[in-house]
Amino acid sequence: MTLNELSGHVAAEFQKHFGRPPRWIVAAPGRVNVIGEHTDYNDGFVLPMAIERYAVMAADSGSSSFTVYDTHFKESATIDVSGPVTKGQPKWSNYIRGVLAGFQDRGVKIPALDVAFMSTVPLGGGLSSSAALEVCTATLVEAATGQTIDPVEKALLAQKAEHDFAGVPCGIMDQFISTMGREGHLLLLDCRSRKTELVPMRDPSVELLVVNTNVKHELGSGEYAKRRAECEQAASILGVKSLRDATAGQLEKAKGKMSEVVYRRARHVIGEIERTTHAAEGIRNSNWPAVGQLMYASHYALRDDYEVSCQELDTVVEIAESIGVNGGVYGCRMTGGGFGGCCVALVKAGAVDAISKKIAAEYKKKTNIEAAIFGSRPASGATIIKG
Ligand code: GLA
């Protein structure tokens, strides 16, 4: 569904449910991270792009509460905005509640609104469906109150919602790209300075394919916090503020002072930060074989050193490698937090159909699971479609 079709659909659902047309329509995309994994909370670089999958909200003024109707699950959340917004039910409403509370903290009065909501970002697939929902909510508040905030502030507000209301200690990547993505571009984000650079990706000869393994292993959330702690430990042993400040040489010298596991975690992060800036250079020069090799190297480090991959993700990467450059695949890696979710593959545009069929068939044969595969051009970040 294009964004136009999707927003038309949500507007029609609003009309059906609330009996009048919406006054505002807003959208925010999910993302796929091309490279730079588990580097954001180490002050490193990330290189994500917004994808053509969106959270969309259609809304009008309401009578008392902030009411959100999820048009897919046919479930409503009624959020009391007469005082400070608190955590509550249903569970998914906490992403919205957290954002509303963030605006209240900045002195913004949240209006009573009727909202219809739908998302085409696969849930729990590692494509930042929660960041899309948070940034979509923030964009709706901006549209409805006329009080816009600086994009960096907006992304940080959404990240805080995820920390405080969903209990996920995420970095800043997902909310930044959902806020600041630009059509035809990847976003090179320096997570220390929060400076962004748009890296054009318009070469029609290549495409990024997202391969959803359709598995999500539960251990993910606890392991994420554990990885963060291990990185902090490595930084403190190395005597640096964060792993961004450490070099591979320093790490080798200090190897004896840390456990083997902490050493490997740091080796991934230090290597990945370097790979990310090299990949951005490769993309600027349309050096696709080089970018592809960096993606594979990223995957191996995430699999062997950082240990956040899983059998299904590894299977997709192995299939991609077996197709090879001759078959049209430059590179492939797991993307996002890991423990399931998606891989991203850099492929020759002319071979997309053949590659998708081959990956789907082989993956099914090896795992007995149906993968979901789609291509996406780099999409734009959060937008006000109407209002
Ligand atoms: C999740 C987090 C991000 C980032 C990635 C790993 O998606 O939300 O902040 O840490 O994992 O790169």
Side-chain angles (χ1 to χ4, degrees):
M1 230 191 277
T2 64
L3 181 54
N4 246 339
E5 289 162 353
L6 181 59
S7 74
H9 174 77
V10 181
E13 288 287 320
F14 181 94
Q15 170 87 45
K16 233 194 290 171
H17 193 75
F18 294 107
R20 61 189 192 282
R23 181 159 160 207
W24 300 284
I25 304 175
V26 299
R31 64 99 187 92
V32 68
N33 189 21
V34 176
I35 197 163
E37 218 64 83
H38 290 278
T39 51
D40 60 353
Y41 52 84
N42 286 296
D43 283 348
F45 287 91
V46 292
L47 190 60
M49 76 168 199
I51 54 173
E52 296 159 313
R53 298 292 174 111
Y54 306 88
V56 173
M57 286 177 171
D60 189 19
S61 300
S63 48
S64 57
S65 54
F66 194 103
T67 304
V68 186
Y69 172 62
D70 183 323
T71 64
H72 181 72
F73 292 105
K74 314 260 179 259
E75 183 182 35
S76 285
T78 306
I79 303 171
D80 182 0
V81 288
S82 61
V85 172
T86 54
K87 278 189 210 172
Q89 292 296 329
K91 220 171 149 201
W92 55 266
S93 74
N94 283 315
Y95 299 106
I96 299 171
R97 291 169 186 273
V99 170
L100 300 182
F103 274 95
Q104 287 180 327
D105 287 346
R106 281 171 171 74
V108 175
K109 186 170 168 12
I110 303 296
L113 291 181
D114 287 337
V115 184
F117 163 72
M118 181 172 163
S119 180
T120 52
V121 188
L123 288 185
L127 299 175
S128 294
S129 54
S130 56
L133 174 54
E134 290 149 8
V135 174
C136 186
T137 305
T139 308
L140 177 60
V141 173
E142 289 184 305
T145 62
Q147 285 176 264
T148 52
I149 52 176
D150 172 77
V152 170
E153 287 297 306
K154 182 172 166 182
L156 293 174
L157 184 157
Q159 182 205 23
K160 189 165 188 298
E162 181 110 15
H163 285 190
D164 297 350
F165 279 67
V168 181
C170 63
I172 63 173
M173 166 168 68
D174 307 342
Q175 292 79 10
F176 266 69
I177 182 65
S178 186
T179 305
M180 290 171 223
R182 181 84 58 84
E183 226 179 298
H185 294 80
L186 308 185
L187 188 77
L188 179 64
L189 168 63
D190 179 339
C191 300
R192 166 166 278 171
S193 67
R194 292 168 186 155
K195 285 218 171 76
T196 55
E197 181 195 327
L198 290 166
V199 180
M201 173 131 182
R202 291 204 163 105
D203 183 340
S205 73
V206 288
E207 194 164 324
L208 287 163
L209 271 190
V210 178
V211 182
N212 191 342
T213 60
N214 277 326
V215 296
K216 185 81 208 152
H217 298 293
E218 263 321 309
L219 68 161
S221 52
E223 291 295 315
Y224 187 88
K226 228 162 123 187
R227 296 296 179 282
R228 282 194 81 138
E230 287 161 347
C231 290
E232 278 160 28
Q233 204 188 329
S236 118
I237 294 170
L238 289 165
V240 291
K241 190 161 167 278
S242 70
L243 288 178
R244 167 74 177 272
D245 302 310
T247 63
Q250 280 170 320
L251 179 66
E252 287 311 313
K253 270 198 211 125
K255 192 174 176 183
K257 291 194 216 153
M258 56 185 84
S259 73
E260 197 258 339
V261 167
V262 169
Y263 164 76
R264 282 193 284 111
R265 303 299 190 245
R267 184 165 64 180
H268 163 72
V269 172
I270 294 168
E272 185 79 353
I273 293 173
E274 204 180 324
R275 281 189 287 274
T276 305
T277 51
H278 287 166
E281 193 52 32
I283 290 166
R284 283 188 208 101
N285 299 326
S286 298
N287 187 351
W288 306 119
V291 176
Q293 287 309 310
L294 289 162
M295 291 171 76
Y296 282 130
S298 166
H299 185 79
Y300 305 147
L302 289 159
R303 181 190 64 191
D304 303 333
D305 279 353
Y306 218 65
E307 294 178 280
V308 290
S309 187
C310 64
Q311 202 203 319
E312 293 83 358
L313 290 165
D314 293 343
T315 300
V316 171
V317 173
E318 278 157 28
I319 298 166
E321 278 183 298
S322 75
I323 298 171
V325 178
N326 289 340
V329 180
Y330 287 111
C332 183
R333 57 180 287 276
M334 57 153 277
T335 183
F339 301 105
C342 294
C343 282
V344 56
L346 177 67
V347 303
K348 292 182 185 166
V352 162
D353 287 347
I355 292 168
S356 303
K357 280 199 191 108
K358 176 109 185 166
I359 294 178
E362 290 282 306
Y363 180 72
K364 175 81 203 266
K365 203 159 90 192
K366 293 191 161 137
T367 62
N368 213 17
I369 304 166
E370 301 278 351
I373 304 178
F374 65 90
S376 177
R377 310 298 307 175
S380 93
T383 42
I384 298 177
I385 296 165
K386 181 179 178 196

